[in-house]
Amino acid sequence: VVELDKGEFGVLVARELHATPAARAASLSYDGGTLAVSKPDGELLLVEVDGPSSAPGRTLRLDPSANLLEWAPEGGWIVLGCNRGEDDSRAWALDSVNLRLVPLPGHQGRPVDAVCATLDDGRGWTAGGDLSLCLADLATGKELARTRLVLRASYMAATGDGARIILRSTTSATI
């Protein structure tokens, strides 16, 4: 993690805040205070960006490791997903304050291709290789809705009111 500042004479200067090992995925919280890093060995590391660079951060072990991380704007939740293979794929929600992991429904045994959190109310979307799109409550893991997609999603994001999501596949985008 680096911090960019305008230095002397308006020149942009990068200052290293934290060095992290190789990562499968990384995501910065909306307030910019916490970096989540998923390492290949299954360790999920939460580092306070404004803390001392020598601080080790908080850790949690995931099996398998996550390659998708998306912070929810409020509440400290992170939506995580893994698309490692047919048998090892799954999705979770993580309460980043208490390090409580909540399994999310859908896609078990199929790759999780994209995840996102709604902007307003603690819900998360997951899209999987089984072409299903699932909405779940992050705190309980309860499935709230499920539908079928025409194409596999490679990325998604929620609109501000949470009423719509934008999906991108390798061939098109859908709202």
Side-chain angles (χ1 to χ4, degrees):
V1 176
V2 296
E3 178 178 67
L4 298 176
D5 284 320
K6 282 195 175 179
E8 193 175 357
F9 308 112
V11 175
L12 199 59
V13 176
R15 178 175 64 92
E16 184 178 302
L17 297 176
H18 293 279
T20 57
R24 290 194 75 203
S27 183
L28 190 61
S29 62
Y30 275 78
D31 65 6
T34 308
L35 176 68
V37 178
S38 177
K39 296 171 26 180
D41 65 0
E43 182 180 49
L44 181 70
L45 177 64
L46 298 175
V47 178
E48 300 305 316
V49 174
D50 293 332
S53 60
S54 60
R58 296 173 296 142
T59 62
L60 179 74
R61 180 70 52 190
L62 299 175
D63 184 24
S65 62
N67 63 301
L68 303 166
L69 299 173
E70 181 70 35
W71 283 87
E74 296 181 19
W77 287 95
I78 306 171
V79 184
L80 306 109
C82 173
N83 65 0
R84 205 165 91 179
E86 298 298 320
D87 297 328
D88 285 340
S89 297
R90 61 197 57 155
W92 310 271
L94 173 66
D95 173 351
S96 67
V97 175
N98 300 309
L99 295 183
R100 183 173 63 95
L101 203 57
V102 178
L104 297 180
H107 325 302
Q108 279 70 21
R110 300 291 301 193
V112 177
D113 296 327
V115 299
C116 76
T118 60
L119 301 179
D120 57 349
D121 61 0
R123 297 178 300 162
W125 289 96
T126 60
D130 58 354
L131 298 181
S132 66
L133 178 65
C134 299
L135 176 66
D137 180 279
L138 299 179
T140 64
K142 180 181 177 189
E143 185 175 289
L144 303 173
R146 180 187 293 250
T147 191
R148 187 143 174 88
L149 299 171
V150 176
L151 300 168
R152 282 182 79 165
S154 60
Y155 173 80
M156 68 177 148
T159 58
D161 61 4
R164 294 182 181 186
I165 57 170
I166 296 126
L167 299 171
R168 181 182 71 211
S169 75
T170 54
T171 57
S172 67
T174 305
I175 297 178

